[in-house]
Amino acid sequence: QSQELSQVQIDYHAALQALVEEGTKMVCTGRMHTDRVCRFESLCYSTEAEEFVFFHSNSSIMLPSLGSRRFQPALLDLSSVEDHNTQYFNFVELPVAALKFMPKPVFVPDVALIMNRFNPDNLMHVFHDDLIPIFFTMQQFPDLDLESRLFFMEGWNEGLHFDLYKALTNKQPLLKEQLKTLGRLLCFTKSYVGLSKITTWYQYGFVQPQGPKANILVSGNEIRQFTKFMIEKLNVTLEENAGEEYIVLFTRTINRLILNEAELILALAQEFQMKTITVSLEDHSFVDIIRLIGNASMLVSMHGAQLVMSLFLPRGATVVELFPYAVNPEHYTPYKALATLPGMDLQYIAWQNTEEDNTVTYPDRQWDQGGIAHLDKKEQERIMQSKEVPRHLCCQNPEWLFRIYQDTKVDISSLILMIRQTVKSKPGTRKQKWMNGLYPGKVKDAKCQASVQGTNEAKLSVSWQIPWNLKYLKVRDVKYEVWIQEQGENTYMPYILSHQNHTFSENIKPFATYLVWIRCIFNKNFLGPFAEVLMCST
Ligand code: UDP
């Protein structure tokens, strides 16, 4: 039952006594409101005031103690979207003595994760802003386990994809609206507030035009841990080694259509000698979509939220994203950023319709479906003539909406050519061995010895031992990089070496001091840390 809280029995009297004697306790991680998640004991919520309440007693803890900086602008972000002013969290304060005059508290016994969903009707937002951040916030705090309960405070109804949220824990998530039915004053015995942003890879353009986040911290490995969890929880059975390779065309049926879908399917099937199947959110369940995408060699789709399902593609698969006329693929890259996360091991191809004759516009639709009839004539003209949507902020730019909601007749030969240029043989070569990137440790026992020959010549002999972790690894290619810098100079001489010692003589002067930096490199790309710098005087 959705409103049933008391699967975990609690002693009401003891809980009330703890609240009155201990008050609320809060300890947070993070230094700014944008990277903060807080753990509370006895955080309360007034469903009448729609406010969280912090009760002060002699035993209360509030860390960080921000004073009025707590309102500048907020204690933390309730959603994973950074610093969005509709997503702030705060509480109001009261002394525990005020409880005497308040409604009897109803205690929430489950460990709670309290947060906002950002846009539960859009699949990209569902995965990127909510599901993956919830999953990894739960990984961060061990008492957020499958028995914990999610509380969605953004105020929306269940939304289109509630089943996906339900998969994250064993308890029914509760919506803000439902809290009223539980009581007037709810007290969360143990709760976490806010979401980790560590896995998000895209910013939607609220303060600067949209694009990948500046400092992406997630890799394909974590994404696959999440998808593995979802596949198990949703009871999806991927046909392991079913053998036959195939292409999935993910279509939209309401807008942003591919007008020559049948022709496209035939062309793909013929070109790659693979079965090509069509899926859509309208005609397929998530279980089916995940099952089909989970073993596909290639996923082809118009730009749009459904492309976030490439999360579920197997390594080595290819993502082909189609863009309507006048929409520059490089300006809208949430799915490119996903496909190219380190270790995602997907190939990504963007194709854009460059033929105005192949686009169908809808100037008379509602503004939010790209209509422009509400704009003045001059502006309508300008938009119709424009060959590219200029960069813009989220989310209501009429020219952007007009262009992104066009239908497209895909020019088959230009698309196939483009895919061929990237995908040389078969699109989903799964036989390839995937190297997961391990980095070397520091080189050990680095030493240098100087010798002077006459007044102009000197030599530096440098030696070191392999990094400690190398003796447990099979690494194809091990190299060492040595930098030699004369003390006081800004420049250095770099060398790449294969052995663990070398004698340097060019540009080494007598009676000078050199700093020697050494690091190990695995397989060309995996640069280890420098060992402690050596000082060598000739
Ligand atoms: N959607 C869909 N079929 C359609 C149009 C939209 O399944 O024909 C889905 C889409 O995948 C997304 C949601 O409806 O999850 C909202 O679509 P919208 O066009 O607003 O957003 P976008 O896809 O551009 O992010």
Side-chain angles (χ1 to χ4, degrees):
Q1 274 323 93
S2 64
Q3 263 88 311
E4 194 63 66
L5 282 178
S6 50
Q7 291 178 26
V8 181
Q9 285 298 317
I10 55 158
D11 176 344
Y12 184 83
H13 183 73
L16 185 61
Q17 193 173 356
L19 172 61
V20 171
E21 284 171 12
E22 305 279 310
T24 306
K25 294 183 178 168
M26 172 187 95
V27 181
C28 305
T29 64
R31 298 174 54 189
M32 312 266 289
H33 72 281
T34 50
D35 60 9
R36 193 166 285 143
V37 175
C38 294
R39 180 185 192 277
F40 287 90
E41 285 170 36
S42 299
L43 174 68
C44 297
Y45 180 75
S46 163
T47 55
E48 290 162 331
E50 301 194 350
E51 298 266 21
F52 284 92
V53 189
F54 186 107
F55 284 106
H56 283 271
S57 82
N58 291 335
S59 307
S60 299
I61 297 172
M62 194 192 291
L63 267 181
S65 278
L66 292 166
S68 70
R69 285 171 295 166
R70 186 157 67 79
F71 313 114
Q72 292 164 3
L75 179 61
L76 55 84
D77 295 334
L78 259 188
S79 84
S80 73
V81 174
E82 183 146 317
D83 196 31
H84 195 290
N85 61 10
T86 63
Q87 309 289 325
Y88 289 151
F89 170 85
N90 240 316
F91 47 70
V92 293
E93 294 164 274
L94 283 173
V96 281
L99 277 165
K100 282 202 287 289
F101 311 104
M102 298 184 73
K104 262 184 74 153
V106 172
F107 289 96
V108 176
D110 313 310
V111 179
L113 175 56
I114 298 168
M115 45 144 297
N116 280 2
R117 295 175 298 169
F118 189 73
N119 182 352
D121 283 348
N122 181 299
L123 202 58
M124 166 66 185
H125 287 281
V126 168
F127 278 98
H128 176 269
D129 309 347
D130 305 341
L131 298 173
I132 301 174
I134 291 169
F135 180 75
F136 284 103
T137 304
M138 292 177 66
Q139 300 287 311
Q140 185 172 352
F141 302 105
D143 46 359
L144 286 173
D145 57 19
L146 289 175
E147 299 313 310
S148 55
R149 194 187 294 270
L150 303 171
F151 288 82
F152 299 149
M153 299 306 295
E154 77 288 332
W156 288 49
N157 57 22
E158 288 192 351
L160 295 174
H161 306 301
F162 204 61
D163 284 345
L164 295 175
Y165 294 92
K166 288 207 296 204
L168 290 170
T169 83
N170 295 336
K171 302 224 164 101
Q172 174 88 1
L174 291 178
L175 306 172
K176 181 177 176 191
E177 195 53 34
Q178 293 171 311
L179 300 186
K180 292 197 169 65
T181 67
L182 300 176
R184 294 163 69 196
L185 183 64
L186 300 183
C187 291
F188 298 90
T189 314
K190 206 188 267 181
S191 60
Y192 291 83
V193 180
L195 286 179
S196 164
K197 299 181 177 74
I198 200 160
T199 60
T200 58
W201 64 84
Y202 206 70
Q203 64 84 11
Y204 297 118
F206 295 108
V207 293
Q208 66 190 84
Q210 63 174 277
K213 286 203 337 188
N215 190 11
I216 291 177
L217 301 172
V218 67
S219 83
N221 172 57
E222 289 72 39
I223 298 291
R224 275 186 294 269
Q225 300 305 326
F226 164 79
T227 53
K228 191 168 118 202
F229 173 87
M230 291 300 280
I231 284 167
E232 278 164 21
K233 285 290 284 205
L234 296 172
N235 256 324
V236 181
T237 41
L238 293 181
E239 289 142 63
E240 296 278 340
N241 292 327
E244 207 192 350
E245 298 195 49
Y246 58 91
I247 298 170
V248 173
L249 178 67
F250 205 146
T251 63
R252 297 169 61 109
T253 60
I254 303 163
N255 53 42
R256 206 176 302 154
L257 306 179
I258 297 168
L259 295 170
N260 53 339
E261 231 171 80
E263 193 192 349
L264 175 58
I265 290 166
L266 272 174
L268 288 168
Q270 207 158 49
E271 176 67 24
F272 298 101
Q273 291 296 303
M274 285 185 197
K275 193 169 70 179
T276 301
I277 55 178
T278 308
V279 300
S280 69
L281 289 176
E282 288 81 4
D283 299 328
H284 294 79
S285 68
F286 269 105
V287 171
D288 285 340
I289 294 173
I290 293 171
R291 186 171 49 77
L292 291 168
I293 289 182
N295 267 329
S297 297
M298 192 189 307
L299 176 63
V300 182
S301 178
M302 270 288 158
H303 172 80
Q306 67 286 343
L307 258 172
V308 76
M309 297 306 283
S310 48
L311 281 168
F312 292 93
L313 281 169
R315 290 171 135 184
T318 301
V319 179
V320 181
E321 181 171 14
L322 311 176
F323 289 83
Y325 181 76
V327 178
N328 185 340
E330 306 206 339
H331 296 178
Y332 311 96
T333 56
Y335 314 110
K336 178 186 184 180
L338 169 60
T340 57
L341 287 178
M344 267 310 274
D345 301 325
L346 298 175
Q347 302 208 60
Y348 174 85
I349 296 164
W351 175 90
Q352 184 190 1
N353 174 23
T354 52
E355 300 288 327
E356 197 165 5
D357 288 346
N358 287 347
T359 200
V360 176
T361 62
Y362 294 95
D364 296 324
R365 283 188 180 163
Q366 293 289 311
W367 72 267
D368 60 348
Q369 292 293 304
I372 52 172
H374 63 291
L375 301 176
D376 74 46
K377 270 271 165 308
K378 265 231 150 70
E379 181 64 357
Q380 291 186 35
E381 286 278 287
R382 186 193 66 73
I383 291 176
M384 300 283 237
Q385 308 279 310
S386 164
K387 295 194 183 324
E388 182 175 314
V389 181
R391 281 206 192 256
H392 56 90
L393 295 181
C394 191
C395 312
Q396 306 187 348
N397 181 292
E399 183 173 353
W400 153 248
L401 293 171
F402 174 71
R403 290 305 185 182
I404 199 57
Y405 282 111
Q406 295 169 113
D407 295 343
T408 304
K409 185 177 152 234
V410 174
D411 182 85
I412 305 283
S413 54
S414 85
L415 174 63
I416 297 283
L417 185 67
M418 183 154 226
I419 300 175
R420 269 288 169 230
Q421 280 166 356
T422 308
V423 183
K424 284 294 182 295
S425 52
K426 287 226 153 194
T429 41
R430 258 169 265 165
K431 272 150 264 144
Q432 205 168 331
K433 260 228 186 128
W434 302 100
M435 234 281 302
N436 53 345
L438 291 186
Y439 289 84
K442 291 180 195 170
V443 302
K444 293 291 177 194
D445 302 325
K447 292 188 183 77
C448 66
Q449 207 160 32
S451 59
V452 178
Q453 275 116 3
T455 47
N456 296 322
E457 278 178 48
K459 283 183 182 166
L460 276 185
S461 293
V462 183
S463 67
W464 58 90
Q465 299 299 314
I466 61 168
W468 172 79
N469 61 344
L470 179 53
K471 59 175 177 280
Y472 301 101
L473 291 170
K474 277 210 176 75
V475 183
R476 212 175 353 99
D477 180 63
V478 180
K479 290 263 160 38
Y480 298 93
E481 186 169 13
V482 178
W483 293 359
I484 299 188
Q485 175 188 22
E486 191 179 339
Q487 195 170 39
E489 299 291 322
N490 285 325
T491 57
Y492 58 85
M493 297 171 289
Y495 300 86
I496 298 282
L497 304 168
S498 307
H499 301 293
Q500 285 143 249
N501 56 65
H502 192 78
T503 301
F504 300 89
S505 53
E506 42 166 340
N507 297 317
I508 305 292
K509 296 183 286 193
F511 312 111
T513 299
Y514 292 94
L515 305 182
V516 180
W517 308 82
I518 311 166
R519 67 177 165 190
C520 183
I521 304 174
F522 286 174
N523 298 328
K524 306 232 183 318
N525 289 316
F526 297 92
L527 309 183
F530 283 106
E532 217 171 301
V533 62
L534 296 176
M535 291 256 259
C536 322
S537 298
T538 52

Short mmCIF file of all heavy atoms in Angstrom, two decimals, residues 377-405:
data_model
loop_
_atom_site.label_atom_id
_atom_site.label_comp_id
_atom_site.label_asym_id
_atom_site.label_seq_id
_atom_site.Cartn_x
_atom_site.Cartn_y
_atom_site.Cartn_z
N LYS A 377 5.64 39.39 -37.31
CA LYS A 377 5.89 38.92 -38.69
C LYS A 377 7.38 38.93 -39.04
O LYS A 377 7.90 38.00 -39.64
CB LYS A 377 5.09 39.78 -39.68
CG LYS A 377 3.70 39.23 -39.96
CD LYS A 377 3.75 38.25 -41.13
CE LYS A 377 2.53 37.36 -41.29
NZ LYS A 377 2.05 36.60 -40.18
N LYS A 378 8.04 40.03 -38.64
CA LYS A 378 9.46 40.18 -38.96
C LYS A 378 10.29 39.03 -38.37
O LYS A 378 11.15 38.46 -39.03
CB LYS A 378 9.98 41.52 -38.38
CG LYS A 378 9.97 42.67 -39.35
CD LYS A 378 11.37 43.34 -39.35
CE LYS A 378 11.72 43.95 -40.70
NZ LYS A 378 10.90 45.15 -40.98
N GLU A 379 9.99 38.75 -37.12
CA GLU A 379 10.72 37.70 -36.42
C GLU A 379 10.40 36.32 -37.04
O GLU A 379 11.30 35.49 -37.20
CB GLU A 379 10.35 37.75 -34.93
CG GLU A 379 11.05 36.71 -34.05
CD GLU A 379 12.57 36.86 -33.96
OE1 GLU A 379 13.15 37.74 -34.61
OE2 GLU A 379 13.18 36.03 -33.25
N GLN A 380 9.15 36.12 -37.41
CA GLN A 380 8.79 34.87 -38.09
C GLN A 380 9.59 34.72 -39.38
O GLN A 380 10.13 33.65 -39.66
CB GLN A 380 7.29 34.86 -38.42
CG GLN A 380 6.39 34.75 -37.21
CD GLN A 380 4.93 34.59 -37.61
OE1 GLN A 380 4.61 33.95 -38.61
NE2 GLN A 380 4.04 35.20 -36.83
N GLU A 381 9.66 35.79 -40.14
CA GLU A 381 10.42 35.81 -41.39
C GLU A 381 11.87 35.42 -41.14
O GLU A 381 12.43 34.56 -41.80
CB GLU A 381 10.42 37.24 -42.00
CG GLU A 381 9.11 37.64 -42.60
CD GLU A 381 8.99 37.08 -44.02
OE1 GLU A 381 9.67 37.60 -44.92
OE2 GLU A 381 8.22 36.11 -44.19
N ARG A 382 12.45 36.09 -40.15
CA ARG A 382 13.86 35.88 -39.85
C ARG A 382 14.11 34.41 -39.52
O ARG A 382 15.05 33.79 -40.03
CB ARG A 382 14.30 36.76 -38.67
CG ARG A 382 15.82 36.70 -38.42
CD ARG A 382 16.24 37.30 -37.09
NE ARG A 382 15.75 36.56 -35.94
CZ ARG A 382 16.21 35.37 -35.55
NH1 ARG A 382 17.19 34.77 -36.21
NH2 ARG A 382 15.70 34.75 -34.49
N ILE A 383 13.25 33.85 -38.69
CA ILE A 383 13.42 32.46 -38.29
C ILE A 383 13.32 31.53 -39.51
O ILE A 383 14.14 30.63 -39.69
CB ILE A 383 12.41 32.08 -37.19
CG1 ILE A 383 12.75 32.82 -35.89
CG2 ILE A 383 12.37 30.58 -36.97
CD1 ILE A 383 11.77 32.62 -34.76
N MET A 384 12.33 31.80 -40.36
CA MET A 384 12.14 30.95 -41.55
C MET A 384 13.35 30.99 -42.47
O MET A 384 13.67 29.99 -43.13
CB MET A 384 10.91 31.42 -42.34
CG MET A 384 9.62 31.35 -41.55
SD MET A 384 9.02 29.67 -41.43
CE MET A 384 7.41 29.89 -42.13
N GLN A 385 14.02 32.16 -42.54
CA GLN A 385 15.17 32.31 -43.44
C GLN A 385 16.45 31.73 -42.85
O GLN A 385 17.36 31.39 -43.58
CB GLN A 385 15.45 33.82 -43.69
CG GLN A 385 14.25 34.63 -44.14
CD GLN A 385 14.01 34.46 -45.61
OE1 GLN A 385 14.91 34.59 -46.41
NE2 GLN A 385 12.77 34.12 -45.97
N SER A 386 16.50 31.66 -41.54
CA SER A 386 17.75 31.33 -40.86
C SER A 386 18.20 29.91 -41.19
O SER A 386 17.40 28.99 -41.29
CB SER A 386 17.56 31.49 -39.35
OG SER A 386 18.61 30.84 -38.67
N LYS A 387 19.51 29.76 -41.37
CA LYS A 387 20.05 28.44 -41.71
C LYS A 387 20.63 27.72 -40.50
O LYS A 387 21.03 26.56 -40.59
CB LYS A 387 21.13 28.60 -42.79
CG LYS A 387 20.54 29.12 -44.10
CD LYS A 387 21.51 28.94 -45.23
CE LYS A 387 21.01 29.52 -46.54
NZ LYS A 387 19.55 29.37 -46.76
N GLU A 388 20.73 28.41 -39.38
CA GLU A 388 21.17 27.74 -38.16
C GLU A 388 20.67 28.47 -36.93
O GLU A 388 20.74 29.70 -36.86
CB GLU A 388 22.71 27.66 -38.12
CG GLU A 388 23.18 26.92 -36.88
CD GLU A 388 24.69 26.70 -36.85
OE1 GLU A 388 25.28 26.28 -37.88
OE2 GLU A 388 25.28 26.95 -35.79
N VAL A 389 20.16 27.72 -35.99
CA VAL A 389 19.73 28.31 -34.72
C VAL A 389 20.97 28.81 -33.99
O VAL A 389 21.88 28.03 -33.73
CB VAL A 389 19.00 27.27 -33.84
CG1 VAL A 389 18.53 27.90 -32.54
CG2 VAL A 389 17.84 26.63 -34.60
N PRO A 390 21.03 30.12 -33.69
CA PRO A 390 22.20 30.61 -32.93
C PRO A 390 22.18 30.03 -31.52
O PRO A 390 21.12 29.65 -31.02
CB PRO A 390 21.99 32.13 -32.88
CG PRO A 390 20.84 32.44 -33.78
CD PRO A 390 20.05 31.18 -33.95
N ARG A 391 23.33 29.96 -30.90
CA ARG A 391 23.39 29.44 -29.53
C ARG A 391 22.45 30.25 -28.65
O ARG A 391 22.26 31.44 -28.83
CB ARG A 391 24.82 29.54 -29.00
CG ARG A 391 25.72 28.44 -29.52
CD ARG A 391 26.82 28.22 -28.51
NE ARG A 391 27.90 27.39 -29.03
CZ ARG A 391 28.05 26.11 -28.69
NH1 ARG A 391 27.21 25.53 -27.84
NH2 ARG A 391 29.05 25.41 -29.17
N HIS A 392 21.86 29.57 -27.68
CA HIS A 392 20.81 30.20 -26.87
C HIS A 392 20.77 29.53 -25.51
O HIS A 392 21.34 28.45 -25.31
CB HIS A 392 19.46 30.02 -27.57
CG HIS A 392 19.14 28.58 -27.84
ND1 HIS A 392 18.47 27.79 -26.95
CD2 HIS A 392 19.50 27.76 -28.88
CE1 HIS A 392 18.40 26.56 -27.43
NE2 HIS A 392 19.02 26.50 -28.59
N LEU A 393 20.05 30.16 -24.59
CA LEU A 393 19.86 29.58 -23.27
C LEU A 393 18.62 28.68 -23.28
O LEU A 393 17.78 28.75 -24.19
CB LEU A 393 19.70 30.68 -22.22
CG LEU A 393 20.94 31.57 -22.00
CD1 LEU A 393 20.66 32.60 -20.93
CD2 LEU A 393 22.17 30.74 -21.64
N CYS A 394 18.51 27.85 -22.27
CA CYS A 394 17.31 27.04 -22.08
C CYS A 394 16.17 27.98 -21.72
O CYS A 394 16.41 29.00 -21.09
CB CYS A 394 17.58 26.08 -20.93
SG CYS A 394 16.34 24.82 -20.75
N CYS A 395 14.94 27.71 -21.96
CA CYS A 395 14.35 26.52 -22.51
C CYS A 395 13.24 26.90 -23.48
O CYS A 395 12.57 26.02 -24.01
CB CYS A 395 13.78 25.68 -21.37
SG CYS A 395 14.92 25.45 -20.01
N GLN A 396 13.03 28.18 -23.67
CA GLN A 396 11.85 28.57 -24.45
C GLN A 396 12.21 29.39 -25.68
O GLN A 396 11.40 30.18 -26.16
CB GLN A 396 10.89 29.38 -23.55
CG GLN A 396 10.56 28.60 -22.30
CD GLN A 396 9.49 29.25 -21.45
OE1 GLN A 396 9.14 30.41 -21.67
NE2 GLN A 396 8.98 28.51 -20.49
N ASN A 397 13.40 29.21 -26.19
CA ASN A 397 13.80 29.96 -27.38
C ASN A 397 12.95 29.50 -28.57
O ASN A 397 13.00 28.34 -28.98
CB ASN A 397 15.29 29.70 -27.64
CG ASN A 397 15.80 30.47 -28.84
OD1 ASN A 397 15.40 30.18 -29.97
ND2 ASN A 397 16.65 31.43 -28.60
N PRO A 398 12.13 30.41 -29.15
CA PRO A 398 11.18 29.98 -30.19
C PRO A 398 11.85 29.44 -31.44
O PRO A 398 11.33 28.51 -32.07
CB PRO A 398 10.39 31.25 -30.51
CG PRO A 398 10.89 32.32 -29.62
CD PRO A 398 12.04 31.83 -28.82
N GLU A 399 12.99 30.02 -31.80
CA GLU A 399 13.68 29.54 -33.00
C GLU A 399 14.18 28.11 -32.79
O GLU A 399 14.07 27.26 -33.67
CB GLU A 399 14.85 30.47 -33.34
CG GLU A 399 15.55 30.06 -34.63
CD GLU A 399 16.60 31.06 -35.09
OE1 GLU A 399 16.70 32.17 -34.48
OE2 GLU A 399 17.33 30.75 -36.04
N TRP A 400 14.71 27.86 -31.64
CA TRP A 400 15.15 26.50 -31.29
C TRP A 400 13.98 25.52 -31.33
O TRP A 400 14.06 24.46 -31.96
CB TRP A 400 15.84 26.53 -29.92
CG TRP A 400 15.78 25.24 -29.16
CD1 TRP A 400 15.09 25.01 -28.00
CD2 TRP A 400 16.45 24.01 -29.46
NE1 TRP A 400 15.27 23.72 -27.58
CE2 TRP A 400 16.10 23.08 -28.45
CE3 TRP A 400 17.30 23.59 -30.50
CZ2 TRP A 400 16.57 21.76 -28.45
CZ3 TRP A 400 17.77 22.28 -30.50
CH2 TRP A 400 17.41 21.38 -29.48
N LEU A 401 12.89 25.88 -30.67
CA LEU A 401 11.74 24.97 -30.62
C LEU A 401 11.19 24.73 -32.04
O LEU A 401 10.86 23.60 -32.41
CB LEU A 401 10.66 25.52 -29.69
CG LEU A 401 11.07 25.56 -28.21
CD1 LEU A 401 10.03 26.31 -27.37
CD2 LEU A 401 11.27 24.15 -27.65
N PHE A 402 11.12 25.80 -32.82
CA PHE A 402 10.64 25.69 -34.20
C PHE A 402 11.47 24.67 -34.99
O PHE A 402 10.94 23.79 -35.67
CB PHE A 402 10.72 27.08 -34.86
CG PHE A 402 10.38 27.09 -36.32
CD1 PHE A 402 9.07 26.90 -36.75
CD2 PHE A 402 11.37 27.33 -37.28
CE1 PHE A 402 8.76 26.93 -38.11
CE2 PHE A 402 11.06 27.36 -38.63
CZ PHE A 402 9.76 27.15 -39.05
N ARG A 403 12.77 24.78 -34.86
CA ARG A 403 13.66 23.91 -35.65
C ARG A 403 13.72 22.49 -35.10
O ARG A 403 13.78 21.52 -35.86
CB ARG A 403 15.06 24.52 -35.71
CG ARG A 403 15.17 25.78 -36.57
CD ARG A 403 14.66 25.52 -37.97
NE ARG A 403 14.87 26.68 -38.85
CZ ARG A 403 14.47 26.70 -40.13
NH1 ARG A 403 13.81 25.66 -40.65
NH2 ARG A 403 14.69 27.76 -40.87
N ILE A 404 13.71 22.35 -33.78
CA ILE A 404 13.89 21.00 -33.23
C ILE A 404 12.62 20.16 -33.41
O ILE A 404 12.70 18.93 -33.40
CB ILE A 404 14.37 21.03 -31.77
CG1 ILE A 404 14.99 19.68 -31.37
CG2 ILE A 404 13.28 21.40 -30.79
CD1 ILE A 404 16.15 19.23 -32.23
N TYR A 405 11.48 20.82 -33.61
CA TYR A 405 10.25 20.04 -33.82
C TYR A 405 9.89 19.85 -35.29
O TYR A 405 8.77 19.48 -35.62
CB TYR A 405 9.09 20.64 -33.01
CG TYR A 405 9.19 20.26 -31.55
CD1 TYR A 405 9.49 21.23 -30.58
CD2 TYR A 405 9.07 18.94 -31.14
CE1 TYR A 405 9.62 20.86 -29.24
CE2 TYR A 405 9.20 18.57 -29.81
CZ TYR A 405 9.47 19.55 -28.86
OH TYR A 405 9.62 19.18 -27.54
#
